[in-house]
Amino acid sequence: MRNRFPSFSLSSYGTGWSANRRIAIVASAVAVLLAIAGIVALLTGGGNSHQATATAAPAPTGSPSSSEAAPKPSSGSGSVPKPPQIAEPVAYAKAAAQMLWSYDTRDTNHDRQLAGMRAWMTTETKYADWASVSSQVPDPVLWSRMADQDQHATASVTEGHYPSAFKAALADDPSAITEAYIYVVTVNGKQTLSWKEGGGGAEKRAVTLAVQCRPNHDCTLAAIAPSVTQ
């Protein structure tokens, strides 16, 4: 059964990396690898895309800038889980994708959703592209409409991997990753939607994430790529 009410997902609302942030992330994450056509295509969305089918919903307006801070809740972050203490890029990316594909408007308002997601981000502002992450959340008006229908979603992850272009570039110059320690990971899974009166549906999901995992530190989320690369 298809979703009759507004919903959000990564494939529906992503607006892509801003030009300045994309340049900073690419330059820092892959350094010398920037000259390799495969990795350039990967991080600018020019690779083979495997976008999940989007649910019908109007796009949010007024996406926050990459430097804009998420609203801070008075306590807790509703249904948004806390970031796990994981030091392995693929494992962290899988957890982040599951977080991004899950929400519950019944107990989490718009500001708390953003605040919960912000906690997953790297604190290194040079590499953090908050706009690519916050743009996944509908604007407050649409979120309110979703809440009127008790809309919520759960997610399951089937697999995560390094895209072939990233692996090839890293193999060509392994030391290039050591400046920012940002890894590119693609995650595949499924999102299940539910709302009032027993309504619901499920869709496949896929996303490519930039994850920062410095040695002896837990991983953090840096950005969401504008397209999915396998």
Side-chain angles (χ1 to χ4, degrees):
M1 180 177 181
R2 290 192 63 80
N3 188 357
R4 298 172 296 168
F5 304 110
S7 65
F8 79 85
S9 67
L10 292 173
S11 58
S12 301
Y13 291 94
T15 58
W17 291 333
S18 64
N20 290 339
R21 287 292 176 179
R22 182 168 62 244
I23 291 171
I25 289 173
V26 172
S28 300
V30 295
V32 177
L33 306 184
L34 188 61
I36 301 175
I39 202 66
V40 172
L42 170 66
L43 293 180
T44 58
N48 294 328
S49 177
H50 183 217
Q51 291 288 81
T53 302
T55 52
T61 58
S63 297
S65 67
S66 57
S67 61
E68 182 178 347
K72 295 181 180 180
S74 56
S75 62
S77 295
S79 61
V80 183
K82 293 181 179 180
Q85 295 180 315
I86 297 175
E88 199 283 315
V90 173
Y92 189 86
K94 290 167 69 175
Q98 187 167 23
M99 177 275 295
L100 290 165
W101 294 333
S102 305
Y103 62 89
D104 195 335
T105 63
R106 297 171 300 180
D107 65 7
T108 307
N109 63 28
H110 183 265
D111 286 355
R112 294 178 79 188
Q113 182 71 23
L114 286 175
M117 293 167 64
R118 185 64 184 249
W120 289 67
M121 297 291 295
T122 177
T123 57
E124 297 183 39
T125 56
K126 180 179 180 180
Y127 307 123
D129 185 4
W130 171 238
S132 70
V133 177
S134 62
S135 64
Q136 311 310 310
V137 181
D139 61 53
V141 174
L142 181 52
W143 186 270
S144 178
R145 289 174 58 195
M146 292 161 59
D148 290 341
Q149 300 299 332
D150 291 342
Q151 188 165 303
H152 53 286
T154 58
S156 60
V157 171
T158 55
E159 67 87 35
H161 65 274
Y162 299 120
S164 57
F166 178 75
K167 289 192 295 183
L170 192 59
D172 188 74
D173 186 355
S175 65
I177 198 74
T178 60
E179 180 181 343
Y181 285 97
I182 291 179
Y183 300 82
V184 179
V185 183
T186 292
V187 180
N188 291 282
K190 183 177 74 172
Q191 182 186 54
T192 301
L193 302 167
S194 301
W195 55 87
K196 280 183 177 179
E197 300 177 357
E203 294 180 328
K204 291 182 179 180
R205 290 282 178 245
V207 65
T208 297
L209 305 172
V211 175
Q212 185 178 47
C213 299
R214 289 195 178 279
N216 303 315
H217 288 80
D218 294 330
C219 296
T220 53
L221 181 61
I224 298 175
S227 64
V228 178
T229 303
Q230 296 292 353

